[in-house]
């Protein structure tokens, strides 16, 4: 079934394919396949949009897969968080990736393709009314169950460091919800 009328592809490890399929995505194993080649084969004319929390090389191949007028939206930098480099090196890599996204992707010669970076923290401060509307829109979609978060477990906020180690090791299939007070649930 198409979610919001969209045809979707999602990258994940094979053990997470069932989650992608449940949301109507065609799964692609980013570890075993040439994602860019597969997308170019399956999507005639290119992608209308790509949404990515990984950054790095993923933004570059996703950009190359965009159709004229397509949009690449970066909203995180997971690969940087998992790397073992210094904070300064991490900041430099992120600056390079965001520069690619905001500058290279938005050049007039790119067939109308463009890139944006959705920084939730910066948006909350610089555009509070738009941020508040984003939250209302999200709450509305959650309320009517147009989107349903896939929760792996609920843990105490005090366990956050350990939960991040589990995530970095390829851990949960769904999201971990950190509870500041009380109720938790097993994996």
């Amino acid at each position: 079934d198409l979610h919001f009328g969209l045809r979707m592809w999602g990258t994940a490890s094979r053990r997470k394919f069932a989650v992608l399929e449940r949301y109507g995505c065609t799964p692609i194993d980013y570890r075993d396949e040439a994602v860019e080649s597969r997308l170019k084969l399956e999507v005639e004319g290119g992608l209308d949009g790509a949404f990515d929390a990984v950054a790095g090389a993923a933004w570059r191949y996703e950009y190359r897969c965009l159709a004229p007028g397509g949009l690449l939206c970066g909203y995180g930098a997971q690969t940087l968080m998992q790397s073992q480099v210094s904070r300064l090196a991490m900041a430099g890599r992120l600056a390079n990736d965001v520069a690619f996204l905001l500058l290279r992707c938005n050049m007039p010669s790119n067939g109308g393709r463009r890139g944006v970076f959705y920084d939730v923290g910066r948006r909350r401060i610089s555009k509070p009314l738009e941020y508040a509307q984003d939250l209302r829109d999200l709450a509305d979609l959650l309320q009517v169950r147009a989107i349903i978060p896939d929760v792996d477990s609920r843990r105490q906020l005090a366990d956050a460091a350990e939960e991040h180690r589990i995530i970095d090791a390829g851990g949960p299939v769904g999201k971990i919800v950190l509870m500041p007070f009380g109720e938790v649930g097993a994996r």
Side-chain angles (χ1 to χ4, degrees):
D1 195 20
L2 301 177
H3 197 60
F4 296 110
L6 301 171
R7 287 181 55 211
M8 299 179 291
W9 290 262
T11 57
S13 62
R14 288 198 182 276
R15 71 185 190 88
K16 297 180 182 181
F17 276 16
V19 173
L20 292 177
E21 290 167 340
R22 194 165 52 245
Y23 287 106
C25 287
T26 299
I28 300 174
D29 189 334
Y30 65 87
R31 295 177 181 166
D32 297 338
E33 300 184 41
V35 177
E36 180 177 351
S37 299
R38 173 134 178 227
L39 285 171
K40 285 182 176 180
L41 283 173
E42 292 190 22
V43 186
E44 187 176 328
L47 298 170
D48 293 324
F51 299 86
D52 190 290
V54 176
W59 286 357
R60 286 159 175 76
Y61 75 68
E62 290 159 351
Y63 174 76
R64 290 190 299 267
C65 290
L66 288 178
L71 171 70
L72 171 56
C73 177
Y75 58 93
Q78 183 178 357
T79 54
L80 294 177
M81 300 304 117
Q82 293 174 341
S83 67
Q84 298 298 315
V85 298
S86 71
R87 289 183 194 269
L88 182 59
M90 200 181 320
R93 287 183 187 176
L94 180 58
N96 184 48
D97 287 346
V98 171
F100 166 80
L101 188 66
L102 298 178
L103 300 175
R104 171 72 172 90
C105 292
N106 292 307
M107 295 178 79
S109 62
N110 289 342
R113 290 182 218 123
R114 54 200 172 91
V116 297
F117 187 76
Y118 186 92
D119 181 334
V120 70
R122 185 166 288 153
R123 187 170 179 87
R124 181 179 57 81
I125 293 166
S126 67
K127 298 182 178 185
L129 296 177
E130 291 177 20
Y131 173 77
Q133 186 60 51
D134 292 347
L135 291 179
R136 283 190 294 275
D137 292 344
L138 179 60
D140 290 347
L141 291 169
L142 288 165
Q143 185 173 19
V144 299
R145 300 183 63 78
I147 55 174
I148 302 168
D150 192 5
V151 176
D152 182 84
S153 64
R154 289 174 175 77
R155 297 284 181 224
Q156 291 294 332
L157 183 59
D159 297 332
E162 177 58 26
E163 294 304 321
H164 275 281
R165 284 189 282 281
I166 292 168
I167 292 167
D168 289 345
V173 172
K175 300 301 179 190
I176 296 171
V177 177
L178 295 175
M179 309 293 290
F181 317 102
E183 183 186 334
V184 296
R187 279 198 157 65

